[in-house]
Amino acid sequence: MGEVTAVAWGASTHPGRRRKRNEDAFLAAPPLFAVADGMGGHAAGDVASQMAVDALAAATSDGQVTRVDLLEAIRTADTSIFERSAGEQEGMGTTLSGVALTGTSGRLVIFNVGDSRVYRLRDGLLAQLTHDHSVVQELIDDGTISESEAEGHPDRHVVTRSLGFGSGLEIDWWTADAHVGDRYLITSDGLPKELTIDETGEILSSRPDPQSAADQLVLRAVDAGGRDNVTVVILDLGADEATVGAPSSVDHTSLDDDTNPRPATVHELGGAR
Ligand code: MG
């Protein structure tokens, strides 16, 4: 398999066709890659999503981050957003999803709060790794509605977890092996609203350059309707010294358990949805 000695990445964002503001924010700087999708009136969503990614960025030191620091940064952001929300910007919050490179032993941490998503492309298989924290996902999980009924559901924008709510923050997080050749996609919900999993996988598979792939995904989502802000971060794990960046952080922390919510849903590209 080989050791991951270098990473390459790309990122792209667009307000879409229906919304004036872009309330998404992203971070694409080793060792952290993340997308936040803000919510709340009067520009509050912009503030909340930016606060979340800024808190993550502040958790790194010398280009390294530990799991403990990462999770602490997310909790700190949650508190900070809530406190600010209690003032002039009532009701603001944000999703946060991402991937953190933690350690030379080839492990990474995937984390999620809300309905932004992390996917992994490996050997032609595209897997959604995160599980949405949304009303619609809960209805799908308990069998009340089907995946296709979720599309037009009136509560499809309602998340059941977010940063800034004020109490009881639950973070989904777990570690995964870093494999050379893996491509990670982190995205706000503006992408899956517009593109099928096959369309997304086809673009990811056909564009080796991560910036080109990110730009194309966003372009296609906007072309397909652009009903929401759309933000994409792509992370490629490589062993090629020609690529940029190098995950070199060492994580000596230990935590009891993660919250890996369930096995990933794997989609074979070109197959039935
Ligand atoms: Mg959104």
Side-chain angles (χ1 to χ4, degrees):
M1 187 59 68
E3 187 180 345
V4 174
T5 57
V7 294
W9 62 91
S12 188
T13 187
H14 194 285
R17 294 180 158 184
R18 303 276 184 88
R19 302 193 179 189
K20 290 194 173 74
R21 311 189 64 89
N22 191 342
E23 297 189 317
D24 290 354
F26 68 87
L27 177 63
L32 281 165
F33 300 85
V35 167
D37 181 346
M39 62 204 83
H42 306 291
D46 315 32
V47 174
S49 59
Q50 194 60 50
M51 284 175 76
V53 298
D54 286 350
L56 283 190
T60 65
S61 64
D62 298 332
Q64 302 185 13
V65 68
T66 66
R67 276 175 289 174
V68 168
D69 289 343
L70 170 72
L71 297 172
E72 189 57 36
I74 297 172
R75 292 192 184 99
T76 299
D78 175 52
T79 304
S80 302
I81 293 166
F82 173 70
E83 286 172 356
R84 187 152 172 180
S85 164
E88 78 276 26
Q89 287 169 316
E90 195 173 348
M92 73 174 180
T94 186
T95 72
L96 184 65
S97 302
V99 176
L101 304 165
T102 59
T104 50
S105 56
R107 303 289 289 174
L108 45 79
V109 176
I110 297 152
F111 52 94
N112 180 51
V113 179
D115 67 350
S116 296
R117 292 178 177 175
V118 178
Y119 295 84
R120 182 182 60 211
L121 181 68
R122 174 183 289 177
D123 299 331
L125 297 174
L126 185 61
Q128 180 183 331
L129 303 182
T130 52
H131 196 72
D132 291 353
H133 305 134
S134 68
V135 168
V136 158
Q137 187 62 56
E138 288 184 357
L139 292 173
I140 293 170
D141 289 347
D142 70 16
T144 305
I145 62 171
S146 67
E147 296 257 3
S148 56
E149 286 169 328
E151 169 63 21
H153 197 279
D155 290 336
R156 65 190 180 280
H157 301 300
V158 181
V159 295
T160 51
R161 296 193 206 174
S162 65
L163 273 64
F165 184 72
S167 65
L169 175 69
E170 291 180 85
I171 307 165
D172 276 353
W173 71 272
W174 59 98
T175 59
D177 286 323
H179 288 194
V180 171
D182 281 355
R183 166 168 275 189
Y184 283 85
L185 164 67
I186 309 159
T187 180
S188 62
D189 63 338
L191 183 79
K193 271 177 194 167
E194 306 296 352
L195 300 188
T196 66
I197 192 82
D198 276 351
E199 289 167 333
T200 299
E202 195 277 328
I203 293 167
L204 287 171
S205 300
S206 63
R207 301 215 169 214
D209 177 69
Q211 186 60 50
S212 168
D215 289 340
Q216 183 66 12
L217 283 169
V218 169
L219 183 70
R220 287 278 298 276
V222 173
D223 278 351
R227 289 170 289 174
D228 194 1
N229 308 149
V230 54
T231 301
V232 162
V233 172
I234 291 174
L235 168 64
D236 287 338
L237 305 184
D240 180 355
E241 290 180 7
T243 54
V244 282
S248 58
S249 60
V250 180
D251 184 0
H252 296 296
T253 59
S254 66
L255 292 173
D256 293 338
D257 201 6
D258 60 37
T259 59
N260 192 357
R262 67 209 70 216
T265 309
V266 178
H267 301 267
E268 191 159 4
L269 300 184
R273 255 188 102 192

